[in-house]
């Protein structure tokens, strides 16, 4: 099972590359994946059924062993990659993989080679098949939810395939919002259910179901079941969430045939079927399942009769059938379980057939409007025959699959309606509703055939292109299977019986209580109900004009889509109102709200608690009196930053506070933190200074004097409150600090003496990986704001335009000029063999500093070597990848300041984006490789060896992770330098007349050049 999933997602990942060469024929190759998986599934039948039911006992199916594959994932959270193939999963997989393969074959002829984004569409459709397979085979609640939401996201992308059409985007977003909202409610229910059961394994929960529904946690379990059913209802488009499914018909027809007939919408039905053996007896199960299911069946059938688009007839028919299916599989009886899965298979066959037929009609005639279609039967009799088989099965006409399944459904509800479990007359009401819904089904099935194929008086025959056999193959095969299923239902009966045996049945053998699927059961009440359905359904069809007039007299009821739009509109109005009163463009207002809330809530909690201050407080550490000096420097820097009237001075004073904090860390015995803080503060200072070149030198438009008192009060209150919060937090500890174990863990588990570094790259490697991912995202965000067509990763020193990089704005001319400038500078280098720091000659004379260039020559290589030392020594001494990367970044910063943007590009032939990618890949590889070798993700290994000259060497593999951190940090600094430095330099070179007020002509703030007032 895991292999099947891996193949689906792996092929989906590379599919776009094949579409570039083979275009639409690539769909045939993609179809081979689910087709091969389907063959594998058939070969697993004996293992699945004999493994779980080899003794043919009356035990529920969820107690069998079945075929399972389990990989530990997050043991602490009891989450496993647990997959289980039992009869229900096997039957659903038949539908998912079989229909998926045929739909992909159909796509090869449905789309044209010139259609855009075929690669993305094919990859998404194949990935959806894999996600759906994972959903039905997952034996862990949270793993199932992951696949559940993955199908939601993929369906959003598939529905919105025609991204230039407003209707497609709107429908995709509507489906996403509705199903995601239901999914979130379901997630809460899954967590409650898993917590109540003490396990998230679905098979284990079903074993405990009798005790869960009657024990102390019965109330919580009942609430969990309701929340889970909400997720199923939204996914399967039951009332009141039925409106999203007809809207989703904006998707290409293959998507409708697969997602909205055979796969995605069946996810809710599958979930009901999965939980029904254990939880059908809970208080709100039957009211929700039967009530919403019956209402959906009737409303969907009624709305189908009003449609003029043959695809929408099928869409509303699907809504009706989904309500029907939910009722049957959720009834919680063995005969209903048998009938429900039989109907589920039959529905997947005939509805996928009909949707594919609609796609052919639309493709060959250019319309789906039944008022324009006429005489299509004469143009393509083969297509009409295929459609007639599907429609007849949908209507329940013998000897087709739909008839066999519907007979079993009627039989099950006849038993239910006349039993004591039906709560009086409600069983007969439900049975009557089923018959009425079936009459509507017959009527709209006939309406579909008449609208799509009949010759209509007064309408010219519709031009219809000839259909290639390869285009008709998929629906034809599905219709053939519909006939085979109807004539020979015994195999399907054998597949379903073990699942039906899992329902407790009083007064009989559970293995036989479900009855059997058969084409002929004799003269039974169910057959009489079928006859009534045919007669009244035909009457409704032939009296369609009268029915239409009657429907036109019915006032517009509450419309689900209209209610959704009104709700979204109201939310938008509220959002606009709130935004208009909070997002006022005032920095003072934003900070005042944030800081007021930040100190009011903790202060209120402290006052309510009323606890005394902890003992042992002191103002200054007697062992480190220099803290007073550092603290005074921090306060002075903060006050000076507030009072500064120049931007450069304000930033410089802010950095003074940062360096003061670094000194505090050093005095407290935290050299790692002190080193990192100092390096970060320096990089930030450089970034600020570079960015300020585009801003006026003076600070203007400060907050008026009337707010100064409020600002002082809020600032002081926030600071004082945070002091007391920290004091109370340190004094409130009652348990042994976790940090006391870190030295032992760092040395014994991580193989290092530097607790901070080992914690970052080993003990909390997941956190660090997330942090460097955020760094990469931040760098990408900065670059996307500054650059238009890329990061501007470099200008090669060449006189040829072809070898240069085309500028973001300047184009080939600018690239040629840059390359020529570098080439000329090399000619004047002191050493032509090994020219270095020559790009400074390209700078304006007033911006050059010979002294700074000499210093750069002296310290650059030393800083790079020192950064590598910090990287390698960081496992046992102060340093590490982050500090080393910052040091290397500072070295690049110095080289940029000495030589300008050309020197920066000369110094780093590898682009910032490439460095970020290499760093993340290195860190990720250090986590994945141990898993491939049988260990855990990010598990470290300590390698001790002796080498000549070097002696005893101890290497810890987490150092590789640290190397990735180092590269990411270097890439981040390089991106900042190129965004805020080189790009602004180029802007000033291109626009020498556009300097901002307060700047010198070269774009440098006046206070930094010596020509302005500091």
């Amino acid at each position: 099972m895991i292999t099947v999933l891996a193949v689906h997602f792996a092929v989906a990942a590379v599919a776009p590359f094949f579409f570039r060469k083979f275009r639409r024929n690539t769909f045939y190759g993609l179809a081979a994946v689910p087709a091969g998986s389907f063959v594998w599934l058939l070969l697993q039948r004996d293992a699945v059924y004999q493994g779980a039911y080899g003794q043919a006992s009356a035990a529920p199916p969820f107690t069998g062993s079945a075929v399972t594959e389990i990989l530990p994932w997050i043991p602490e959270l009891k989450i496993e990659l647990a997959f289980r193939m039992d009869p229900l999963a096997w039957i659903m997989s038949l539908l998912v993989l079989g229909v998926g393969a045929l739909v992909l074959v159909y796509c090869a002829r449905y789309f044209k080679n010139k259609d855009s984004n075929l690669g993305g569409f094919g990859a998404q459709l194949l990935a959806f098949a894999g996600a759906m397979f994972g959903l039905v085979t997952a034996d862990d609640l949270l793993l199932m939810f992951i696949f559940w939401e993955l199908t939601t996201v993929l369906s959003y992308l598939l529905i919105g395939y025609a991204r230039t059409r407003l209707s497609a985007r709107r429908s995709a977003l509507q489906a996403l919002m509705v199903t995601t909202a239901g999914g979130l409610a379901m997630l809460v229910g899954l967590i409650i259910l898993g917590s109540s059961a003490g396990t998230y394994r679905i098979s284990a929960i079903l074993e405990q179901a009798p005790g869960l529904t009657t024990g102390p946690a019965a109330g919580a379990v009942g609430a969990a079941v309701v929340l889970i059913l909400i997720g199923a209802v939204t996914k399967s488009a039951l009332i009141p969430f039925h409106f999203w499914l007809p809207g989703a018909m904006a998707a290409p027809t293959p998507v409708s045939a697969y997602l909205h007939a055979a796969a995605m919408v069946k996810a809710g039905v599958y979930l009901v079927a999965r939980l029904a053996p254990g939880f059908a007896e809970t208080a709100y199960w039957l009211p929700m399942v039967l009530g919403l299911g019956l209402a959906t069946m009737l409303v969907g059938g009624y709305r189908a009769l009003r449609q003029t688009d043959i695809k929408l007839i099928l869409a509303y028919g699907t809504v009706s059938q989904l309500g029907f299916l939910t009722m049957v599989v959720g009834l919680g009886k063995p005969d209903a379980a048998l009938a429900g899965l039989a109907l589920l298979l039959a529905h997947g066959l005939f509805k996928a057939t009909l949707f594919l037929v609609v796609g052919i009609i639309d493709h060959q005639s250019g319309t789906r409007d039944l008022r324009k279609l006429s005489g299509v039967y004469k143009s393509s009799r083969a297509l009409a025959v295929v459609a007639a088989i599907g429609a007849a099965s949908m209507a329940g006409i013998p000897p087709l699959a739909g008839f066999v399944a519907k007979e079993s459904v009627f039989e099950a509800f006849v038993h239910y309606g006349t039993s004591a479990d039906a709560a009086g007359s409600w069983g007969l009401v439900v049975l009557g509703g089923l018959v009425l819904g079936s009459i509507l089904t017959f009527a709209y099935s006939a309406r579909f055939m008449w609208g799509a194929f009949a010759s209509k008086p007064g309408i010219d025959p519709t031009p219809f292109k000839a259909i290639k056999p390869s285009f008709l193959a998929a629906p034809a095969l599905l219709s053939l299977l519909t006939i085979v299923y109807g004539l020979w239902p015994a195999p399907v009966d054998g597949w379903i019986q073990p699942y039906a045996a899992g329902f407790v049945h009083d007064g009989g053998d559970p293995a036989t209580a479900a009855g059997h699927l058969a084409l002929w059961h004799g003269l039974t009440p169910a057959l009489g109900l079928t006859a009534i359905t045919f007669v009244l359904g035909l009457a409704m069809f032939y009296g369609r004009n009268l029915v239409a007039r009657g429907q036109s007299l019915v006032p517009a009821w509450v419309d689900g889509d209209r209610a959704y739009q009104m709700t979204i509109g109201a939310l938008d109005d509220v959002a606009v109102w709130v935004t208009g009163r909070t997002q006022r463009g005032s920095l003072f207002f934003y900070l005042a709200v944030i800081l007021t809330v930040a100190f009011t809530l903790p202060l209120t909690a402290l006052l309510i608690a009323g606890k005394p201050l902890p003992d042992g407080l002191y103002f200054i550490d007697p062992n480190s009196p220099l803290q007073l000096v550092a603290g005074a420097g921090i306060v002075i820097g903060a006050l000076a930053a507030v009072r500064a009237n120049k931007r450069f001075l304000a930033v410089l004073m802010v950095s003074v506070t940062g360096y003061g904090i670094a000194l505090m860390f050093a005095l407290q015995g935290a050299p790692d933190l002190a080193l990192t803080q100092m390096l970060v503060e320096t990089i930030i200072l450089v970034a600020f200074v570079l960015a300020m070149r585009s801003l006026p030198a003076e600070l203007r438009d400060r907050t008026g004097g009337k707010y100064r008192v409020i600002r002082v009060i809020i600032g002081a209150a926030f600071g004082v409150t945070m002091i007391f919060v920290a004091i109370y937090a340190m004094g409130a500890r009652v348990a042994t600090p976790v940090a006391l174990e870190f030295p032992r863990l760092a040395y014994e588990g991580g193989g290092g003496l530097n607790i901070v570094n080992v914690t970052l790259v080993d003990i909390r490697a997941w956190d660090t990986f997330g942090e460097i991912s955020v760094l990469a995202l931040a760098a990408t965000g900065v670059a996307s704001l500054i650059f238009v067509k890329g990061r501007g990763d470099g200008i090669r020193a060449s006189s040829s335009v072809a070898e240069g990089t085309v500028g973001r704005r300047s184009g080939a001319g600018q690239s040629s000029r840059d390359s020529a400038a570098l080439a000329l500078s090399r000619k004047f280098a002191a050493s032509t063999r090994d020219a270095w720091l020559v790009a400074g000659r390209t700078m304006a004379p007033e911006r050059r500093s010979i002294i700074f260039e000499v210093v750069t020559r002296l310290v650059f290589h030393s800083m790079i070597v020192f950064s590598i030392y910090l990287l390698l020594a960081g496992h046992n001494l102060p340093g590490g990848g982050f500090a080393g990367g910052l040091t290397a970044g500072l070295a690049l910063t110095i080289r940029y300041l000495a030589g300008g943007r050309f020197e920066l590009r000369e110094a780093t032939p590898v682009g910032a984006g490439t460095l970020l990618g290499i760093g993340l890949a290195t860190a990720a590889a250090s986590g994945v490789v141990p898993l491939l070798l049988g260990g855990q993700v990010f598990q470290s290994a300590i390698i001790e060896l002796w080498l000549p000259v070097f002696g005893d060497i101890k290497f810890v593999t987490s150092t590789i992770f640290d190397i990735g951190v180092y590269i990411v940090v270097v890439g981040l600094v390089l991106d900042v330098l190129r965004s805020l430095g080189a790009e602004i330099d180029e802007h000033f070179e291109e626009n020498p007349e556009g300097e901002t007020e307060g700047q010198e002509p070269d774009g440098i703030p006046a206070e930094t050049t010596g020509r302005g007032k500091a």
Side-chain angles (χ1 to χ4, degrees), residues 444-500:
Y444 68 67
S445 299
R447 176 180 174 83
F448 171 82
M449 285 300 300
W450 168 78
F453 294 97
S455 297
K456 304 178 182 69
I459 302 177
D460 295 332
T462 304
F464 200 84
K465 302 175 184 176
I467 306 173
K468 294 182 179 179
S470 58
F471 199 9
L472 188 59
L477 181 56
L478 289 170
S479 63
L480 177 63
L481 292 175
T482 299
I483 298 174
V484 173
Y485 177 5
L487 295 174
W488 187 36
V492 177
D493 181 75
W495 299 341
I496 303 174
Q497 283 292 348
Y499 168 75

Side-chain angles (χ1 to χ4, degrees), residues 560-602:
D561 184 65
R562 189 181 310 156
Y564 167 81
Q565 295 301 332
M566 291 176 63
T567 302
I568 297 299
L571 288 175
D572 286 342
D573 292 341
V574 172
V576 170
W577 184 87
V578 173
T579 302
R581 283 155 180 78
T582 57
Q583 302 300 311
R584 300 161 51 183
S586 170
L587 181 60
F588 162 73
F589 177 78
Y590 300 154
L591 291 176
V593 172
I594 294 171
L595 295 179
T596 301
V597 173
F599 82 78
T600 301
L601 294 181

Side-chain angles (χ1 to χ4, degrees), residues 620-668:
I620 294 294
D621 188 350
N623 298 321
S624 182
L626 286 178
Q627 285 185 8
L628 184 60
V629 177
I634 293 172
V635 173
I636 293 172
L639 294 176
V642 172
R643 299 295 300 171
N645 60 354
K646 296 288 185 72
R647 295 183 188 274
F648 180 76
L649 180 60
V651 171
L652 193 60
M653 291 300 100
V654 170
S655 294
V656 168
T657 65
Y659 288 125
I661 293 173
L663 179 58
M664 281 283 196
F665 288 149
L667 295 175
Q668 285 296 105

Side-chain angles (χ1 to χ4, degrees), residues 400-424:
L400 301 174
F403 170 78
V404 173
K406 192 169 291 186
E407 283 292 287
S408 297
V409 172
F410 280 162
E411 193 69 35
F413 276 88
V414 166
H415 292 162
Y416 174 72
T418 57
S419 68
D421 296 336

Side-chain angles (χ1 to χ4, degrees), residues 70-82 140 142 146 200 766 936-937:
I70 301 173
L71 285 177
W73 185 15
I74 311 177
E76 292 78 6
L77 298 181
K78 301 179 181 179
I79 300 177
E80 302 170 315
L81 296 178
D140 182 273
L142 297 183
I146 291 173
Y200 284 91
W766 274 110
Q936 301 294 323
V937 178

Side-chain angles (χ1 to χ4, degrees), residues 530-553:
T530 298
I532 294 173
T533 300
F534 291 171
V535 172
L536 295 182
L538 281 172
M540 287 192 70
F541 169 69
Y542 283 109
R544 56 186 176 274
N545 294 330
L546 182 61
V547 171
R549 285 197 294 270
Q551 287 185 320
S552 64
L553 297 176

